[in-house]
Amino acid sequence: AQSVTQLGSHVSVSEGALVLLRCNYSSSVPPYLFWYVQYPNQGLQLLLKYTSAATLVKGINGFEAEFKKSETSFHLTKPSAHMSDAAEYFCAVSDNTGNQFYFGTGTSLTVIP
Amino acid sequence: EAGVAQSPRYKIIEKRQSVAFWCNPISGHATLYWYQQILGQGPKLLIQFQNNGVVDDSQLPKDRFSAERLKGVDSTLKIQPAKLEDSAVYLCASSYGELAGGVLETQYFGPGTRLLVL
């Protein structure tokens, strides 16, 4: 079975500062890992996904994440936060057939001007 | 390309009433998912269809929830009877569903239906 844990339900950063959102996974099989963003009153949008290719994955809007098997982590980063990055971010995991899809509880990102 | 469509966007009902949600996936997408997102939590997969067959419904409360995708395109999720704890946003997502070259196809989400049970 798969699961993800997102550390920190709320993260605040200053505009221009580094964004780091943490995600740790648990999986009995090689996982596929995802980061989604959800803006208020909107559906989820895929930021990036890891599917056993390169361990450093680049996504949209300047975000990237690194798959670290030894740490069972898939943290999301962005070098410089922008006001428009304020949203809810979800880490998710599936097995390598795309089934057993589980989301974390989410991290709310606030960007301070 | 048109996105995933859901209706209604909002629904308010009283407990013990019935409610149905509709989803029209992106054209050509074989896989369709229904999720329940309770306020402050991540989405929880309720049911996954591949064409008109069920792939995974292990987290669907089958005593009150049902879903169908009869023609392998549109899908309907029903709750009968509703309970207070069913208040949530119900998200529909779709994907091609194929592992093309080992790459999992992306899920595309609709805007959701916000349900309030009083």
Side-chain angles (χ1 to χ4, degrees):
Chain A
Q2 284 71 242
S3 67
V4 289
T5 302
Q6 291 185 242
L7 300 176
S9 58
H10 299 276
V11 171
S12 294
V13 299
S14 297
E15 189 175 15
L18 172 71
V19 176
L20 171 61
L21 304 181
R22 299 178 186 275
C23 173
N24 287 87
Y25 70 91
S26 173
S27 178
S28 56
V29 297
Y32 286 167
L33 294 157
F34 310 82
W35 275 100
Y36 282 84
V37 61
Q38 187 175 35
Y39 298 101
N41 298 316
Q42 294 187 28
L44 285 86
Q45 180 183 9
L46 181 69
L47 280 176
L48 50 83
K49 62 184 179 183
Y50 166 78
T51 56
S52 74
T55 56
L56 181 62
V57 181
K58 295 186 182 297
I60 62 171
N61 301 339
F63 284 93
E64 63 182 36
E66 186 172 9
F67 173 70
K68 292 187 177 180
K69 185 177 179 180
S70 61
E71 299 177 8
T72 62
S73 69
F74 190 58
H75 302 329
L76 182 70
T77 61
K78 182 174 181 178
S80 177
H82 193 273
M83 296 298 295
S84 60
D85 295 328
E88 189 86 14
Y89 291 81
F90 293 94
C91 182
V93 65
S94 76
D95 65 19
N96 55 8
T97 64
N99 298 326
Q100 297 293 313
F101 208 90
Y102 293 96
F103 280 86
T105 52
T107 297
S108 177
L109 176 66
T110 300
V111 181
I112 304 167
Chain B
E1 157 180 281
V4 176
Q6 291 187 248
S7 67
R9 291 296 309 276
Y10 304 92
K11 190 73 176 179
I12 301 174
I13 61 173
E14 295 187 349
K15 60 183 179 183
R16 291 188 288 273
Q17 285 187 321
S18 300
V19 66
F21 313 126
W22 174 82
C23 174
N24 185 14
I26 293 173
S27 178
H29 280 192
T31 305
L32 185 147
Y33 311 78
W34 281 103
Y35 292 86
Q36 179 194 59
Q37 186 177 17
I38 294 173
L39 186 65
Q41 299 182 19
K44 182 181 81 171
L45 179 65
L46 293 176
I47 189 167
Q48 177 182 343
F49 292 96
Q50 180 75 17
N51 296 308
N52 60 353
V54 176
V55 173
D56 182 2
D57 64 356
S58 57
Q59 299 191 89
L60 186 73
K62 298 180 184 64
D63 58 333
R64 297 184 300 107
F65 286 64
S66 64
E68 60 184 14
R69 194 184 184 201
L70 294 175
K71 296 182 179 179
V73 181
D74 293 7
S75 178
T76 303
L77 176 69
K78 297 180 181 178
I79 308 175
Q80 180 178 10
K83 292 185 176 181
L84 297 177
E85 58 262 35
D86 298 332
S87 295
V89 176
Y90 290 85
L91 298 167
C92 180
S94 71
S95 74
Y96 282 110
E98 297 293 327
L99 289 174
V103 178
L104 181 65
E105 289 296 329
T106 299
Q107 291 185 41
Y108 294 89
F109 283 80
T113 295
R114 189 175 298 273
L115 173 67
L116 178 60
V117 182
L118 302 176

